[in-house]
Amino acid sequence: MISKTAHRGLAVLLVLTAALPGASAAADPAPPRPAPAAPALVPGVPLAPPHPWQLDTPDQALPPHVYRPGAAEDAVEPMEAPAGTDALIEYVPPSEVVAKAAAAVCTKRAGPYQRQAERHLGRPVDGRQSAADCRAIRAFQRTQGIRPAIGFAGPVTWARMRLLDARENPTATKKCPTRAYRLACVDLSRQLMWVKKGEKVLLGPVPIRTGRAGYPTRTGWHKVYWKHKNHWSSLYETPMPYSQFFDGGQAFHAIYGNVYSPPGSRGCVNMRLADAKALWKTLLKGDRVYVWGRKPGT
């Protein structure tokens, strides 16, 4: 048997042992806290309530029923886009919507595309917002009609810069093959498309909105197999003007909304109405389509 004295000695030993560094689990360092998530960006100016046809993306999930439209149907042109539906509205942190847009002053916040904007504008590339950076970004936004022009380097500002850079030579990346026939080039990485024949660019580049995460626009070679000017999505009960299907339910088509709005389509290549109309006149049934890259954020 163990005596009472031995019991007391054992208890003292346990207390001393617990006091030693590293002897208790409570002394272990706390796990690091995860970094706070970046705030979601929202349209920088208040928007009017959407019209019934302005859903997130009126895409065709399944291959359409292919038929030959009659002359009377083909003679009908899709309705024009309501004024302001494709306005260049920048996405900004919620705190910047009223305080900065109303006062029309420079923001002190660096946007998610700060470095890209600095590089495009010839500014020192450090990813930090300065007064000079903001003035340069704000001047660009004003020139391009981007609102609010507060110098926040958001997705719309960067998309516009990409488009202007690509207009000089969209084929500079050498990613779209050169063929003797008409070829629609769809660059998912830059969210741009154009049509070329040989080395000659016939249309574009123009901005597009492709498939979001989980609904990718399929890469590789495709062919325009059906053109339907006044296509109607039975899934979403919304129009898909100037639809040109190239792979199952995926098609080029116009949207009555903004091609820069996140997160993306459900696979189709969304376009502004004027661009989709121009593409309708440029591509013919049987023309080839080449898709490559990866949409940012997917």
mmCIF file with all atom_site columns, all heavy atoms in Angstrom, residues 106-107 123 128-137:
data_model
loop_
_atom_site.group_PDB
_atom_site.id
_atom_site.type_symbol
_atom_site.label_atom_id
_atom_site.label_alt_id
_atom_site.label_comp_id
_atom_site.label_asym_id
_atom_site.label_entity_id
_atom_site.label_seq_id
_atom_site.pdbx_PDB_ins_code
_atom_site.Cartn_x
_atom_site.Cartn_y
_atom_site.Cartn_z
_atom_site.occupancy
_atom_site.B_iso_or_equiv
_atom_site.pdbx_formal_charge
_atom_site.auth_seq_id
_atom_site.auth_comp_id
_atom_site.auth_asym_id
_atom_site.auth_atom_id
_atom_site.pdbx_PDB_model_num
ATOM 1  N N   . CYS A 1 106 ? -11.198 60.678 -55.399 1.00 0.00 ? 106 CYS A N   1
ATOM 2  C CA  . CYS A 1 106 ? -10.380 59.488 -55.557 1.00 0.00 ? 106 CYS A CA  1
ATOM 3  C C   . CYS A 1 106 ? -10.478 58.584 -54.333 1.00 0.00 ? 106 CYS A C   1
ATOM 4  O O   . CYS A 1 106 ? -10.448 59.058 -53.199 1.00 0.00 ? 106 CYS A O   1
ATOM 5  C CB  . CYS A 1 106 ? -8.918  59.888 -55.775 1.00 0.00 ? 106 CYS A CB  1
ATOM 6  S SG  . CYS A 1 106 ? -8.428  59.925 -57.513 1.00 0.00 ? 106 CYS A SG  1
ATOM 7  N N   . THR A 1 107 ? -10.570 57.305 -54.596 1.00 0.00 ? 107 THR A N   1
ATOM 8  C CA  . THR A 1 107 ? -10.546 56.343 -53.512 1.00 0.00 ? 107 THR A CA  1
ATOM 9  C C   . THR A 1 107 ? -9.114  56.062 -53.085 1.00 0.00 ? 107 THR A C   1
ATOM 10 O O   . THR A 1 107 ? -8.187  56.137 -53.902 1.00 0.00 ? 107 THR A O   1
ATOM 11 C CB  . THR A 1 107 ? -11.222 55.023 -53.922 1.00 0.00 ? 107 THR A CB  1
ATOM 12 O OG1 . THR A 1 107 ? -11.170 54.119 -52.831 1.00 0.00 ? 107 THR A OG1 1
ATOM 13 C CG2 . THR A 1 107 ? -10.512 54.392 -55.112 1.00 0.00 ? 107 THR A CG2 1
ATOM 14 N N   . ARG A 1 123 ? 2.458   53.392 -64.826 1.00 0.00 ? 123 ARG A N   1
ATOM 15 C CA  . ARG A 1 123 ? 2.739   53.818 -63.460 1.00 0.00 ? 123 ARG A CA  1
ATOM 16 C C   . ARG A 1 123 ? 3.702   52.824 -62.799 1.00 0.00 ? 123 ARG A C   1
ATOM 17 O O   . ARG A 1 123 ? 3.842   51.691 -63.261 1.00 0.00 ? 123 ARG A O   1
ATOM 18 C CB  . ARG A 1 123 ? 1.433   53.859 -62.648 1.00 0.00 ? 123 ARG A CB  1
ATOM 19 C CG  . ARG A 1 123 ? 0.377   54.818 -63.172 1.00 0.00 ? 123 ARG A CG  1
ATOM 20 C CD  . ARG A 1 123 ? 0.752   56.258 -62.888 1.00 0.00 ? 123 ARG A CD  1
ATOM 21 N NE  . ARG A 1 123 ? 1.089   56.414 -61.479 1.00 0.00 ? 123 ARG A NE  1
ATOM 22 C CZ  . ARG A 1 123 ? 1.964   57.324 -61.028 1.00 0.00 ? 123 ARG A CZ  1
ATOM 23 N NH1 . ARG A 1 123 ? 2.572   58.143 -61.871 1.00 0.00 ? 123 ARG A NH1 1
ATOM 24 N NH2 . ARG A 1 123 ? 2.223   57.400 -59.736 1.00 0.00 ? 123 ARG A NH2 1
ATOM 25 N N   . ARG A 1 128 ? 0.015   49.153 -54.780 1.00 0.00 ? 128 ARG A N   1
ATOM 26 C CA  . ARG A 1 128 ? -0.496  50.031 -53.723 1.00 0.00 ? 128 ARG A CA  1
ATOM 27 C C   . ARG A 1 128 ? -1.061  51.297 -54.360 1.00 0.00 ? 128 ARG A C   1
ATOM 28 O O   . ARG A 1 128 ? -0.456  51.862 -55.269 1.00 0.00 ? 128 ARG A O   1
ATOM 29 C CB  . ARG A 1 128 ? 0.599   50.392 -52.723 1.00 0.00 ? 128 ARG A CB  1
ATOM 30 C CG  . ARG A 1 128 ? 1.155   49.189 -51.973 1.00 0.00 ? 128 ARG A CG  1
ATOM 31 C CD  . ARG A 1 128 ? 2.056   49.622 -50.826 1.00 0.00 ? 128 ARG A CD  1
ATOM 32 N NE  . ARG A 1 128 ? 3.217   50.370 -51.289 1.00 0.00 ? 128 ARG A NE  1
ATOM 33 C CZ  . ARG A 1 128 ? 4.374   49.806 -51.601 1.00 0.00 ? 128 ARG A CZ  1
ATOM 34 N NH1 . ARG A 1 128 ? 4.526   48.499 -51.521 1.00 0.00 ? 128 ARG A NH1 1
ATOM 35 N NH2 . ARG A 1 128 ? 5.377   50.552 -52.013 1.00 0.00 ? 128 ARG A NH2 1
ATOM 36 N N   . GLN A 1 129 ? -2.182  51.728 -53.867 1.00 0.00 ? 129 GLN A N   1
ATOM 37 C CA  . GLN A 1 129 ? -2.827  52.925 -54.397 1.00 0.00 ? 129 GLN A CA  1
ATOM 38 C C   . GLN A 1 129 ? -2.130  54.179 -53.877 1.00 0.00 ? 129 GLN A C   1
ATOM 39 O O   . GLN A 1 129 ? -1.877  54.322 -52.681 1.00 0.00 ? 129 GLN A O   1
ATOM 40 C CB  . GLN A 1 129 ? -4.303  52.950 -53.985 1.00 0.00 ? 129 GLN A CB  1
ATOM 41 C CG  . GLN A 1 129 ? -5.089  54.150 -54.489 1.00 0.00 ? 129 GLN A CG  1
ATOM 42 C CD  . GLN A 1 129 ? -5.523  54.012 -55.935 1.00 0.00 ? 129 GLN A CD  1
ATOM 43 O OE1 . GLN A 1 129 ? -4.679  53.810 -56.813 1.00 0.00 ? 129 GLN A OE1 1
ATOM 44 N NE2 . GLN A 1 129 ? -6.803  54.128 -56.194 1.00 0.00 ? 129 GLN A NE2 1
ATOM 45 N N   . SER A 1 130 ? -1.799  55.064 -54.789 1.00 0.00 ? 130 SER A N   1
ATOM 46 C CA  . SER A 1 130 ? -1.258  56.375 -54.430 1.00 0.00 ? 130 SER A CA  1
ATOM 47 C C   . SER A 1 130 ? -2.163  57.437 -55.036 1.00 0.00 ? 130 SER A C   1
ATOM 48 O O   . SER A 1 130 ? -3.025  57.139 -55.880 1.00 0.00 ? 130 SER A O   1
ATOM 49 C CB  . SER A 1 130 ? 0.172   56.538 -54.947 1.00 0.00 ? 130 SER A CB  1
ATOM 50 O OG  . SER A 1 130 ? 0.182   56.598 -56.371 1.00 0.00 ? 130 SER A OG  1
ATOM 51 N N   . ALA A 1 131 ? -1.980  58.665 -54.634 1.00 0.00 ? 131 ALA A N   1
ATOM 52 C CA  . ALA A 1 131 ? -2.796  59.746 -55.187 1.00 0.00 ? 131 ALA A CA  1
ATOM 53 C C   . ALA A 1 131 ? -2.588  59.854 -56.692 1.00 0.00 ? 131 ALA A C   1
ATOM 54 O O   . ALA A 1 131 ? -3.538  60.062 -57.456 1.00 0.00 ? 131 ALA A O   1
ATOM 55 C CB  . ALA A 1 131 ? -2.465  61.060 -54.488 1.00 0.00 ? 131 ALA A CB  1
ATOM 56 N N   . ALA A 1 132 ? -1.321  59.683 -57.134 1.00 0.00 ? 132 ALA A N   1
ATOM 57 C CA  . ALA A 1 132 ? -1.036  59.769 -58.570 1.00 0.00 ? 132 ALA A CA  1
ATOM 58 C C   . ALA A 1 132 ? -1.641  58.585 -59.316 1.00 0.00 ? 132 ALA A C   1
ATOM 59 O O   . ALA A 1 132 ? -2.159  58.741 -60.429 1.00 0.00 ? 132 ALA A O   1
ATOM 60 C CB  . ALA A 1 132 ? 0.473   59.839 -58.790 1.00 0.00 ? 132 ALA A CB  1
ATOM 61 N N   . ASP A 1 133 ? -1.567  57.389 -58.709 1.00 0.00 ? 133 ASP A N   1
ATOM 62 C CA  . ASP A 1 133 ? -2.198  56.220 -59.328 1.00 0.00 ? 133 ASP A CA  1
ATOM 63 C C   . ASP A 1 133 ? -3.690  56.462 -59.514 1.00 0.00 ? 133 ASP A C   1
ATOM 64 O O   . ASP A 1 133 ? -4.261  56.196 -60.580 1.00 0.00 ? 133 ASP A O   1
ATOM 65 C CB  . ASP A 1 133 ? -2.015  54.980 -58.449 1.00 0.00 ? 133 ASP A CB  1
ATOM 66 C CG  . ASP A 1 133 ? -0.593  54.453 -58.462 1.00 0.00 ? 133 ASP A CG  1
ATOM 67 O OD1 . ASP A 1 133 ? 0.145   54.762 -59.417 1.00 0.00 ? 133 ASP A OD1 1
ATOM 68 O OD2 . ASP A 1 133 ? -0.224  53.741 -57.510 1.00 0.00 ? 133 ASP A OD2 1
ATOM 69 N N   . CYS A 1 134 ? -4.331  56.947 -58.469 1.00 0.00 ? 134 CYS A N   1
ATOM 70 C CA  . CYS A 1 134 ? -5.779  57.151 -58.525 1.00 0.00 ? 134 CYS A CA  1
ATOM 71 C C   . CYS A 1 134 ? -6.152  58.156 -59.597 1.00 0.00 ? 134 CYS A C   1
ATOM 72 O O   . CYS A 1 134 ? -7.120  57.959 -60.324 1.00 0.00 ? 134 CYS A O   1
ATOM 73 C CB  . CYS A 1 134 ? -6.288  57.592 -57.158 1.00 0.00 ? 134 CYS A CB  1
ATOM 74 S SG  . CYS A 1 134 ? -8.087  57.632 -57.075 1.00 0.00 ? 134 CYS A SG  1
ATOM 75 N N   . ARG A 1 135 ? -5.378  59.230 -59.697 1.00 0.00 ? 135 ARG A N   1
ATOM 76 C CA  . ARG A 1 135 ? -5.683  60.235 -60.733 1.00 0.00 ? 135 ARG A CA  1
ATOM 77 C C   . ARG A 1 135 ? -5.562  59.636 -62.126 1.00 0.00 ? 135 ARG A C   1
ATOM 78 O O   . ARG A 1 135 ? -6.382  59.912 -63.009 1.00 0.00 ? 135 ARG A O   1
ATOM 79 C CB  . ARG A 1 135 ? -4.745  61.434 -60.582 1.00 0.00 ? 135 ARG A CB  1
ATOM 80 C CG  . ARG A 1 135 ? -5.056  62.329 -59.395 1.00 0.00 ? 135 ARG A CG  1
ATOM 81 C CD  . ARG A 1 135 ? -4.324  63.654 -59.492 1.00 0.00 ? 135 ARG A CD  1
ATOM 82 N NE  . ARG A 1 135 ? -2.874  63.490 -59.465 1.00 0.00 ? 135 ARG A NE  1
ATOM 83 C CZ  . ARG A 1 135 ? -2.136  63.504 -58.356 1.00 0.00 ? 135 ARG A CZ  1
ATOM 84 N NH1 . ARG A 1 135 ? -2.728  63.661 -57.177 1.00 0.00 ? 135 ARG A NH1 1
ATOM 85 N NH2 . ARG A 1 135 ? -0.831  63.361 -58.407 1.00 0.00 ? 135 ARG A NH2 1
ATOM 86 N N   . ALA A 1 136 ? -4.541  58.795 -62.344 1.00 0.00 ? 136 ALA A N   1
ATOM 87 C CA  . ALA A 1 136 ? -4.349  58.180 -63.666 1.00 0.00 ? 136 ALA A CA  1
ATOM 88 C C   . ALA A 1 136 ? -5.475  57.203 -63.983 1.00 0.00 ? 136 ALA A C   1
ATOM 89 O O   . ALA A 1 136 ? -6.014  57.196 -65.099 1.00 0.00 ? 136 ALA A O   1
ATOM 90 C CB  . ALA A 1 136 ? -2.996  57.479 -63.713 1.00 0.00 ? 136 ALA A CB  1
ATOM 91 N N   . ILE A 1 137 ? -5.847  56.362 -63.007 1.00 0.00 ? 137 ILE A N   1
ATOM 92 C CA  . ILE A 1 137 ? -6.931  55.395 -63.225 1.00 0.00 ? 137 ILE A CA  1
ATOM 93 C C   . ILE A 1 137 ? -8.246  56.132 -63.430 1.00 0.00 ? 137 ILE A C   1
ATOM 94 O O   . ILE A 1 137 ? -9.051  55.776 -64.297 1.00 0.00 ? 137 ILE A O   1
ATOM 95 C CB  . ILE A 1 137 ? -7.025  54.414 -62.038 1.00 0.00 ? 137 ILE A CB  1
ATOM 96 C CG1 . ILE A 1 137 ? -5.742  53.598 -61.922 1.00 0.00 ? 137 ILE A CG1 1
ATOM 97 C CG2 . ILE A 1 137 ? -8.226  53.485 -62.203 1.00 0.00 ? 137 ILE A CG2 1
ATOM 98 C CD1 . ILE A 1 137 ? -5.656  52.759 -60.655 1.00 0.00 ? 137 ILE A CD1 1
#
